Amino acid sequence: MAGTLRSCTVVLAVVLCVLFYLSTFADAYPPKPEPPVGDVGPEEMAKYHTALRHYINLITRQRYGKRAAPEAAVADLLFGNDSEQDVRPRAEDSLPW
């Protein structure tokens, strides 16, 4: 009895985790507008084309923001936000000879 209860609990936990994981992807993109069915008037086609243009603009929208160089990101993790630290790689330094 205890083994059955334990296995049911594990299965339930796995199912809940999978459902939670899949629900995070459900709201990632807006739903695609449905095309009008049959012979529709120009107003309905204009609405559909407006909705489709809005959908395409949302999907292909550029993401703005400055991305840090990998060296700066590692230096920030190691040294904090101290701007006085030299974050250039040593290979860029002039050679002593």
Side-chain angles (χ1 to χ4, degrees), residues 6-91:
R6 180 174 288 164
S7 65
C8 289
T9 305
V10 169
V11 169
L12 180 65
V14 169
V15 167
L16 287 175
C17 288
V18 167
L19 287 176
F20 177 74
Y21 178 74
L22 292 176
S23 70
T24 59
F25 291 115
D27 297 329
Y29 289 107
K32 184 177 178 183
E34 295 294 325
V37 179
D39 191 22
V40 295
E43 296 87 17
E44 288 295 320
M45 286 303 289
K47 279 185 184 178
Y48 170 69
H49 285 291
T50 302
L52 185 62
R53 185 172 40 249
H54 180 69
Y55 170 76
I56 290 172
N57 286 341
L58 284 176
I59 296 299
T60 61
R61 178 177 48 198
Q62 293 181 353
R63 306 300 191 255
Y64 295 103
K66 185 176 180 182
R67 295 185 179 172
E71 295 88 13
V74 170
D76 186 37
L77 287 174
L78 292 176
F79 303 117
N81 282 335
D82 189 10
S83 61
E84 296 176 6
Q85 292 286 337
D86 184 20
V87 294
R88 292 180 299 137
R90 290 186 181 187

